[in-house]
Amino acid sequence: MNDKTELRIGLALGSGSSRGFSHIGIINELMENGVVPDVICGTSVGAMVGASWATGRMAKLEEWAGRVTKFQAARFLDINARFVGFVDLARFNDFLDEFVANDDDLIENCESTYGAISTELATARERWMTRGSLKDAVWASMALPGLFPPKRCDHKWLMDGGLVNPVPISLCHALGANFIIAVNLNGDIVGKHLINQKTSDADLKLAQEQKREQEKQQKRRQEENSDSFTKRLSSFTRAYAGSLFPATEVSEGERAPSLINVIASAVNITQDRITRSRMAGDPPDILLAPKLAHIGLLELYRAQEAIDEGRQCVRRMLPEIERIVESERESEEDGI
């Protein structure tokens, strides 16, 4: 009697902010080698890339990622009148509509089984988002404290899923996957981006160009008599946005940690410890760990580097992936 269940491949895409664009390269490389996920689950940026793949928009997202510049990345940063985060929410909403999911996309209508992880703000409970608005699920899963405000869903405030489950192996199992490929973006990241951050001439030149552009924008807004408190605060924030990126304060050729780097380090430490603990009790069949320590929290302009490393990571592991997947399929056919 054959009691072997059908092989269902689950792909657990971990959190990691800008490093998460490596998920695009990983998915493409896996599929080109015949490994197609039946279940795809994500946390934070993993939820975003997974949703983009589930709605057929990932090729468009990859094209955007390949051409985004530092200036375009900086335009995502702003502060709103309620002081709830640094991300320009209107611009981010438009980004999701075009490259990930719009208001009409439902999780249950995805061709592949999809799930996202978020965290309940009031209780710190892990929330599995497996039905309803795909866009809301992505937004809630990405609501990193300090950058995004929490997302209101089903009468609860939700925030970044990486706070409780950075690599959603458990959700893949719960949605029916019995063979899990997990992607951990934070395995080698703790403290790495704060060490020996030397400022190059190119970095300094870019910082100077950004400062000049910000000064021009500030002068233009002043000439338009935008003297309300909110508008003046927004002007200050745009001028300050450059300091959120690397190449801010320089001392003897070495950069001091910026606000974003401090936030990133705190998040990295938390997620690294949680990931280690959870994977010890629920290990995946295959663990992919792309080498991304050189890419910072909001360095969206390095997305192509992350995509390329995602592909290389799969290629390094491909013999092992093929061996294990083939073994599982043979066991399935033999009814073992």
Side-chain angles (χ1 to χ4, degrees):
M1 180 177 178
N2 187 345
D3 59 358
K4 178 71 176 180
T5 57
E6 178 185 359
L7 181 66
R8 284 177 56 79
I9 298 174
L11 187 56
L13 303 178
S15 59
S17 302
S18 296
R19 297 184 293 276
F21 284 98
S22 64
H23 292 317
I24 295 175
I26 286 170
I27 293 172
N28 283 336
E29 193 68 25
L30 287 173
M31 293 186 63
E32 288 171 14
N33 285 278
V35 181
V36 181
D38 302 289
V39 177
I40 190 162
C41 298
T43 297
S44 196
V45 69
M48 183 193 78
V49 174
S52 182
W53 178 77
T55 59
R57 293 178 172 92
M58 196 175 76
K60 194 174 182 181
L61 177 63
E62 181 176 10
E63 180 185 359
W64 175 86
R67 54 182 167 80
V68 66
T69 65
K70 282 189 177 183
F71 182 73
Q72 290 171 324
R75 292 178 67 195
F76 274 99
L77 295 178
D78 198 356
I79 192 168
N80 56 50
R82 293 184 297 158
F83 308 100
V84 291
F86 278 113
V87 171
D88 186 321
L89 301 183
R91 195 179 301 278
F92 181 67
N93 183 71
D94 292 342
F95 172 85
L96 291 181
D97 282 340
E98 184 172 1
F99 300 110
V100 182
N102 58 41
D103 294 329
D104 297 324
D105 290 317
L106 297 176
I107 294 175
E108 50 266 39
N109 291 341
C110 294
E111 291 187 7
S112 298
T113 304
Y114 174 87
I117 299 286
S118 63
T119 306
E120 292 186 6
L121 180 60
T123 65
R125 291 176 180 170
E126 182 176 334
R127 179 76 173 269
W128 291 359
M129 309 188 76
T130 57
R131 295 187 64 80
S133 169
L134 184 58
K135 183 178 177 180
D136 284 352
V138 171
W139 195 305
S141 188
M142 295 185 70
L144 182 65
L147 295 180
F148 293 87
K151 181 71 174 176
R152 186 76 169 174
C153 295
D154 297 331
H155 310 293
K156 296 182 185 296
W157 289 106
L158 304 178
M159 57 183 178
D160 196 295
L163 299 171
V164 291
N165 193 352
V167 183
I169 298 168
S170 56
L171 182 53
C172 281
H173 282 308
L175 293 179
N178 50 27
F179 182 87
I180 310 296
I181 300 173
V183 185
N184 179 17
L185 303 179
N186 301 310
D188 66 341
I189 202 66
V190 173
K192 293 290 184 66
H193 63 294
L194 294 178
I195 300 174
N196 293 328
Q197 292 194 26
K198 301 298 182 182
T199 303
S200 67
D201 291 340
D203 284 336
L204 290 173
K205 183 178 179 181
L206 178 65
Q208 292 166 355
E209 290 174 354
Q210 289 178 332
K211 184 177 179 180
R212 284 195 293 269
E213 180 63 27
Q214 290 157 4
E215 288 173 347
K216 288 180 182 178
Q217 292 178 3
Q218 186 176 15
K219 183 178 179 180
R220 189 160 52 246
R221 284 189 290 272
Q222 290 173 344
E223 290 173 350
E224 293 170 354
N225 296 318
S226 300
D227 58 356
S228 71
F229 173 76
T230 299
K231 289 182 178 179
R232 282 187 282 119
L233 179 60
S234 180
S235 175
F236 162 78
T237 304
R238 289 189 180 91
Y240 177 66
S243 69
L244 299 176
F245 289 97
T248 54
E249 298 182 20
V250 180
S251 176
E252 297 180 357
E254 190 168 335
R255 296 193 293 268
S258 67
L259 173 60
I260 285 298
N261 274 334
V262 173
I263 293 174
S265 293
V267 171
N268 290 338
I269 290 169
T270 301
Q271 294 188 355
D272 177 65
R273 297 303 182 261
I274 294 172
T275 301
R276 290 170 185 264
S277 176
R278 296 196 64 140
M279 284 202 297
D282 189 14
D285 297 279
I286 295 288
L287 177 62
L288 300 177
K291 299 175 181 179
L292 300 165
H294 59 291
I295 297 179
L297 182 73
L298 289 179
E299 292 182 341
L300 302 178
Y301 55 89
R302 305 184 75 171
Q304 189 60 55
E305 293 179 51
I307 292 171
D308 293 342
E309 170 55 21
R311 281 189 173 274
Q312 290 299 323
C313 179
V314 173
R315 289 169 185 166
R316 291 193 294 268
M317 290 289 293
L318 194 56
E320 183 71 2
I321 295 171
E322 291 177 336
R323 183 187 67 78
I324 296 177
V325 170
E326 185 61 30
S327 176
E328 290 291 327
R329 285 175 174 158
E330 288 177 356
S331 297
E332 175 191 347
E333 293 172 359
D334 293 340
I336 296 176

